[in-house]
Amino acid sequence: MKFSSNGLALLTLIGSTAAFTPSSVIAPRQSSSSSKLYVQMEAAPAKALPKIEKLKIASNYLRDPLKDQLQTEEIGISKDAYQIMKYHGSYQQNNREKRGPKDYQFMLRLKQPAGELPPDLYRLLDDLSLNHGQGDLRATTRQCFQMHGILKGDLKTVISSIMNIGSSTVGACGDVSRNVMTTPAPFVSSDYEYAREYSKCFGQLFRPMSSAFSEIWLDGEKAVSVETWAKEVEHHNIDEKMLYDNGRGIIIPDATEPIYGDQYLPRKFKIGVTVPGDNSLDIYTNDIGVVVITNDAGELEG
């Protein structure tokens, strides 16, 4: 008789004078009229962390072994570096149209909360794709653009250019909160404005905080321009709210990643924001679906 869950199970046998007593786990208590059987559950043995979780912990907040792998003469990066590269917004891919040795290239995906793409950023992406990619941009189902065909030696040029114009690829891939979506309807009523605004708030709140991104792609320097969405929601004091500890265990004692820690999430996490009656964004396909509620005056209620 085996029990897989933790805790204490109480089995009460009424009207029986006989007790079933497996040795070592049961302490029977009997009376003349009934028997009570107490079963102590055995805790399941602790499971070893999967390899990918160990890799994330050992990465020094998404630096290793990617930083060293980017300096090699190889056209690709190792499997371990590839897993960390995802958090920087990129996937290593093989050009399947070419036979022979693998021809590694990289796909790069942007972070665009609410799906907004400023004109100057679009022009930059168009130029980068033409000069360093395969000449096209692809719109994803999570309201962001990605480009393909980037060579390893061009990654730093492309990513640093995107960061310096006020955008980012951080959080577009990997086991973190992904690009925050909202309804694409271009209405200007207050509820739609709130949906776009709070999509940017969530995108800023759940961003990875590691300095590995600036160290690797900007040589440790700050980007020339802050992300456009960060500027638009700075009056919300996002970082102050991020670090507020309500005692529920959300904030962990980690100076680098107070929300994620050194292991980040078990898998990707998706958030979508919409307004009542607008299902152009299916919030049920997200891990968290947020619906903006306003009163008759158009003021935000929740």
Side-chain angles (χ1 to χ4, degrees):
M1 187 174 184
K2 295 181 66 177
F3 300 93
S4 58
S5 59
N6 299 331
L8 179 66
L10 173 62
L11 303 181
T12 304
L13 306 179
I14 300 177
S16 171
T17 58
F20 172 67
T21 312
S23 61
S24 79
V25 296
I26 295 185
R29 298 179 183 177
Q30 296 184 349
S31 67
S32 58
S33 59
S34 64
S35 296
K36 291 185 178 180
L37 182 65
Y38 293 83
V39 181
Q40 177 68 48
M41 301 304 215
E42 295 181 356
K47 292 184 178 180
L49 281 175
K51 180 182 177 181
I52 183 61
E53 301 301 322
K54 294 179 180 178
L55 176 63
K56 289 189 285 185
I57 294 172
S59 72
N60 188 19
Y61 297 101
L62 310 179
R63 291 175 176 84
D64 304 323
L66 176 62
K67 192 172 183 178
D68 290 338
Q69 283 286 305
L70 290 172
Q71 306 302 319
T72 70
E73 296 297 325
E74 301 293 330
I75 63 172
I77 56 179
S78 68
K79 291 183 178 179
D80 286 351
Y82 165 62
Q83 294 297 332
I84 301 304
M85 185 67 181
K86 293 178 182 179
Y87 293 82
H88 295 252
S90 181
Y91 287 87
Q92 179 173 259
Q93 299 175 329
N94 178 42
N95 187 347
R96 298 178 181 177
E97 295 182 1
K98 291 187 177 181
R99 297 184 178 275
K102 290 191 175 182
D103 181 23
Y104 287 118
Q105 303 172 350
F106 290 82
M107 179 278 288
L108 192 65
R109 182 182 298 155
L110 266 69
K111 178 179 180 179
Q112 296 168 235
E116 294 186 0
L117 184 71
D120 58 343
L121 176 57
Y122 176 80
R123 288 193 294 268
L124 174 66
L125 295 177
D126 192 47
D127 291 341
L128 291 174
S129 179
L130 181 63
N131 297 326
H132 301 286
Q134 64 184 29
D136 61 7
L137 296 173
R138 301 184 183 185
T140 77
T141 56
R142 290 207 68 80
Q143 297 179 333
C144 53
F145 275 104
Q146 61 188 38
M147 62 178 70
H148 293 253
I150 304 170
L151 299 181
K152 175 183 169 182
D154 291 332
L155 278 170
K156 191 168 185 177
T157 297
V158 175
I159 294 178
S160 63
S161 298
I162 291 171
M163 294 175 74
N164 280 324
I165 203 173
S167 189
S168 177
T169 62
V170 176
C173 313
D175 296 334
V176 292
S177 177
R178 296 290 188 87
N179 195 50
V180 181
M181 299 177 64
T182 191
T183 166
F187 300 132
V188 294
S189 57
S190 63
D191 51 353
Y192 280 89
E193 294 286 1
Y194 282 126
R196 287 186 282 270
E197 177 181 356
Y198 279 90
S199 294
K200 298 168 189 175
C201 286
F202 294 142
Q204 187 69 0
L205 175 63
F206 295 112
R207 73 193 189 278
M209 299 290 287
S210 173
S211 60
F213 309 110
S214 60
E215 290 176 14
I216 291 175
W217 308 113
L218 298 175
D219 296 323
E221 301 293 328
K222 289 186 177 181
V224 173
S225 180
V226 177
E227 291 95 336
T228 54
W229 60 86
K231 293 179 184 177
E232 294 172 9
V233 299
E234 61 182 357
H235 61 284
H236 286 285
N237 299 317
I238 301 295
D239 287 358
E240 179 182 333
K241 292 179 171 61
M242 176 195 293
L243 298 174
Y244 172 71
D245 190 352
N246 61 11
R248 298 178 182 175
I250 296 174
I251 304 300
I252 60 178
D254 190 304
T256 301
E257 296 285 8
I259 291 181
Y260 292 118
D262 61 359
Q263 197 171 332
Y264 295 86
L265 298 179
R267 65 182 305 278
K268 58 189 176 183
F269 195 85
K270 298 180 178 180
I271 301 174
V273 185
T274 190
V275 304
D278 187 332
N279 199 39
S280 55
L281 163 68
D282 187 351
I283 61 172
Y284 292 108
T285 62
N286 292 271
D287 295 288
I288 293 180
V290 180
V291 181
V292 171
I293 303 297
T294 57
N295 59 24
D296 293 338
E299 299 168 330
L300 182 66
E301 289 192 333

